[in-house]
Amino acid sequence: MSKAFLAQVIQESADTTGVAANRAATDVMQAIIRELKKNGRFTLPSFGTFIVRKTKARKGLNPRTGEAIKVKAGKTVRFKASPSLKKVV
């Protein structure tokens, strides 16, 4: 799914212009990002939950050279599908 697809669905559903639908899609995505930064999780009922997880520093391998490298600690976003979404898909 892309932002353009989301904007198209909004445009068709709300019977609005493409510019307004694109702005609405952008606003929805920004709201999700703000919520993830603020609380570390975002839940869409009957769809799933996005969760920010911390990753530890670790050793990795450069796939081109096979050389060992250090990977810094960081954060990543995980998604857990709801049971109702799992049942439908």
Side-chain angles (χ1 to χ4, degrees), residues 31-44 48-54 75-80:
I32 292 170
I33 292 168
R34 278 194 308 271
E35 191 68 19
L36 284 171
K37 284 183 178 179
K38 181 180 177 184
N39 295 326
R41 68 185 306 127
F42 178 79
T43 301
L44 285 171
T49 303
F50 296 90
I51 303 167
V52 176
R53 296 250 173 114
K54 293 181 181 178
K75 295 180 183 178
T76 188
V77 178
R78 301 286 173 103
F79 176 74
K80 182 178 179 186

Side-chain angles (χ1 to χ4, degrees), residues 45-67:
S46 300
F47 186 72
T49 303
F50 296 90
I51 303 167
V52 176
R53 296 250 173 114
K54 293 181 181 178
T55 58
K56 295 179 180 179
R58 62 191 186 280
K59 293 181 184 178
L61 291 177
N62 182 331
R64 289 188 184 174
T65 63
E67 177 185 352

